[in-house]
Amino acid sequence: MRKNIVAGNWKMNTTVPEGVKLAQEVNEAVAAQAALKCDVIVGVPFTHLTAVKAVLTHVALAAENCADHKSGAYTGEVSAPMVASTGAQYVILGHSERRGYYAETIAMLKDKVDLALAEGLKVIFCCGESLDERKQNIHFGVIKDEIEGSLFHLSAEQMANVVIAYEPIWAIGTGETATAEQAQEIHAFIRGLLAEKYGEQVADDTTILYGGSCKPSNAAELFAKPDIDGGLIGGASLKAADFMGIVTAF
Ligand code: 13P
């Protein structure tokens, strides 16, 4: 059976000391929960990985990105082997902010996925449409292209190490959440794509997260949907109490 997951994506927020403090608060709160129904992950800036890893006992660690090359003359980049060497278990790839602001392409993300998996990292692969694409009614095609183009060269065994996050761009940081029905519709569509390509078992076993203005007040309704297996949380992951309000929504 697939796992439920609530993952924070801190984005470019907190200094190292602030991040360590936040990670400690989240870790303590998670440790204090007797029977959590989900795994908890914090996604943090590269600079924070080692220091945050040192304070986590009950929470897994993710990087927010990795390079599309393994090593070499790529000033300022951070490779998948470097991320793995910090003890992080996950890497978030394909976030719409990376695709949009840093011109990450489907082909580039395919390479990043391969490099991350080769290092034993699990991938949280983000996909999602813009408001314009939804208005044009091409959102299903956009999501299909993103998933097929960067993931469908993988084997079924490799897919076991991939979590998919559906994040409609129009709902990220805007306060406008997709309704639980809108999110469920896309999650079911994604699971259908996985079933067509890899069969029912892989489709059933793949965790699909929702991201975009998810907060304590709407998490339970979203997570109650059959194909929504948790959340990728931006703004609300920056306060331990808010994040825990989502973690405990299952
Ligand atoms: P918000 O929760 O701030 O809308 O961000 C969602 C997101 O982009 C998580 O990756």
Side-chain angles (χ1 to χ4, degrees):
M1 259 310 280
R2 59 184 179 261
K3 281 185 196 170
N4 293 326
I5 295 176
V6 173
N9 173 12
W10 292 359
K11 308 191 179 182
M12 197 173 73
N13 291 295
T14 75
T15 61
V16 174
E18 288 165 353
V20 169
K21 183 165 172 282
L22 175 58
Q24 266 166 338
E25 287 168 7
V26 170
N27 189 69
E28 273 169 33
V30 169
Q33 292 286 329
L36 266 190
K37 296 202 178 68
C38 64
D39 288 1
V40 182
I41 304 170
V42 287
V44 310
F46 291 135
T47 44
H48 298 35
L49 287 167
T50 301
V52 166
K53 176 67 188 170
V55 302
L56 297 180
T57 54
H58 288 68
V59 173
L61 181 63
E64 299 174 16
N65 181 28
C66 72
D68 58 343
H69 297 279
K70 190 171 179 184
S71 66
Y74 301 99
T75 302
E77 288 293 294
V78 175
S79 69
M82 292 173 188
V83 169
S85 73
T86 68
Q89 299 94 335
Y90 290 86
V91 59
I92 300 169
L93 293 176
H95 195 283
S96 58
E97 289 151 15
R98 301 287 328 162
R99 294 178 193 260
Y101 302 147
Y102 302 99
E104 293 194 2
T105 62
I106 285 172
M108 198 187 283
L109 288 167
K110 177 173 181 267
D111 292 341
K112 292 190 180 200
V113 166
D114 288 342
L115 288 161
L117 292 176
E119 295 306 317
L121 291 165
K122 293 187 166 77
V123 171
I124 301 174
F125 181 82
C126 305
C127 60
E129 81 285 1
S130 66
L131 186 56
D132 200 43
E133 288 161 344
R134 181 164 276 260
K135 281 185 178 156
Q136 289 178 58
N137 205 30
I138 57 169
H139 47 302
F140 290 103
V142 168
I143 291 160
K144 184 168 190 260
D145 287 350
E146 289 180 347
I147 289 177
E148 276 184 358
S150 302
L151 295 181
F152 276 10
H153 63 292
L154 299 176
S155 67
E157 289 70 29
Q158 286 177 307
M159 276 305 292
N161 292 316
V162 176
V163 170
I164 295 178
Y166 168 57
E167 299 207 311
I169 297 168
W170 46 272
I172 296 177
T174 59
E176 184 171 351
T177 322
T179 65
E181 289 70 31
Q182 282 173 322
Q184 166 59 26
E185 181 185 37
I186 301 291
H187 283 229
F189 170 72
I190 292 171
R191 210 177 296 288
L193 293 176
L194 293 170
E196 257 173 55
K197 169 74 183 170
Y198 293 103
E200 293 293 338
Q201 189 65 51
V202 169
D204 263 4
D205 288 348
T206 302
T207 298
I208 307 179
L209 308 180
Y210 168 77
S213 298
C214 187
K215 40 192 181 252
S217 60
N218 60 26
E221 191 189 351
L222 287 158
F223 299 172
K225 293 292 178 192
D227 290 298
I228 303 181
D229 309 314
L232 182 55
I233 317 301
S237 71
L238 293 171
K239 289 211 175 93
D242 290 348
F243 189 55
M244 288 309 294
I246 299 170
V247 167
T248 54
F250 276 104

